[in-house]
Amino acid sequence: MTAVNSLSMSWSDDEVGVMHGLRDWTMASDELNRHLSTWMGLPVSDAEALGQIVWAAQSGSPVSPALLARQIGMTSGAVSVLIDRLERAGYVTRHREGDDRRRVVVRPTDAALDGTERFLGFAGAEIAAAVRETPDAELRVIRAFLGRMTQAASAANVRLRDAPASIKTEA
């Protein structure tokens, strides 16, 4: 990929507005996660992990420790310690599932589901309403755009992970 300095490019008002909107959503979402951590009595990183575990379980695809580590940007060792804390707090359990009994998934407990459900009931009404009030055609466009943005960010993250140390330390 050719190097591009996005700060020196010319951007339309709509493009700038979209980038600002994505930044604002990210910041607001991060603040919601900090509130969830307080609500559940957890460190922020544990609340972020618990949110991923609950979302995965609700979607019917429980998360493995390795996938959780990638999702929240931690090492597998750090995630193992984090899962231990969540288990001691009574929020998750580890399960061996499927034909490969070596494969471990993490599932939320009823206490975790109850706590996050109460949190979303109190704090999620506006977000749910915003999604529900958006016309289907608009949702499809947004979903496609967010998919492209996620793919672009993922590609940049792979490139950054694989970049030689000399590139990362150039002044």
Side-chain angles (χ1 to χ4, degrees):
M1 169 155 282
T2 306
V4 175
N5 182 345
S6 60
L7 294 177
S8 64
M9 293 173 65
S10 178
W11 294 83
S12 73
D13 290 343
D14 284 338
E15 291 168 332
V16 170
V18 165
M19 296 304 288
H20 283 219
L22 289 169
R23 179 210 54 213
D24 294 346
W25 162 251
T26 299
M27 292 172 62
S29 180
D30 285 348
E31 184 175 358
L32 283 170
N33 191 59
R34 289 190 301 275
H35 286 293
L36 174 63
S37 76
T38 301
W39 186 277
M40 301 294 288
L42 295 169
V44 173
S45 59
D46 292 21
E48 180 179 357
L50 183 60
Q52 293 296 325
I53 292 164
V54 168
W55 275 105
Q58 298 293 68
S59 72
S61 302
V63 67
S64 69
L67 178 56
L68 181 62
R70 284 192 300 276
Q71 287 174 332
I72 64 174
M74 296 177 85
T75 65
S76 59
V79 164
S80 183
V81 171
L82 183 151
I83 292 169
D84 288 343
R85 283 194 308 265
L86 289 174
E87 275 186 313
R88 282 192 303 275
Y91 289 134
V92 302
T93 56
R94 288 179 171 102
H95 296 269
R96 295 192 184 283
E97 297 184 356
D99 294 335
D100 184 355
R101 302 299 292 165
R102 294 171 296 173
R103 186 179 186 287
V104 174
V105 296
V106 183
R107 291 189 177 274
T109 63
D110 289 342
L113 294 172
D114 179 60
T116 55
E117 188 176 307
R118 284 186 298 109
F119 176 78
L120 290 173
F122 185 77
E126 294 88 347
I127 294 169
V131 172
R132 287 296 185 97
E133 293 168 1
T134 303
D136 289 344
E138 196 173 327
L139 287 174
R140 285 190 291 278
V141 169
I142 293 165
R143 189 172 169 190
F145 170 74
L146 290 174
R148 289 190 302 276
M149 292 300 289
T150 300
Q151 286 177 337
S154 294
N157 284 324
V158 167
R159 193 171 49 259
L160 288 164
R161 276 194 302 270
D162 295 345
S166 60
I167 291 176
K168 296 175 187 176
T169 58
E170 286 180 1

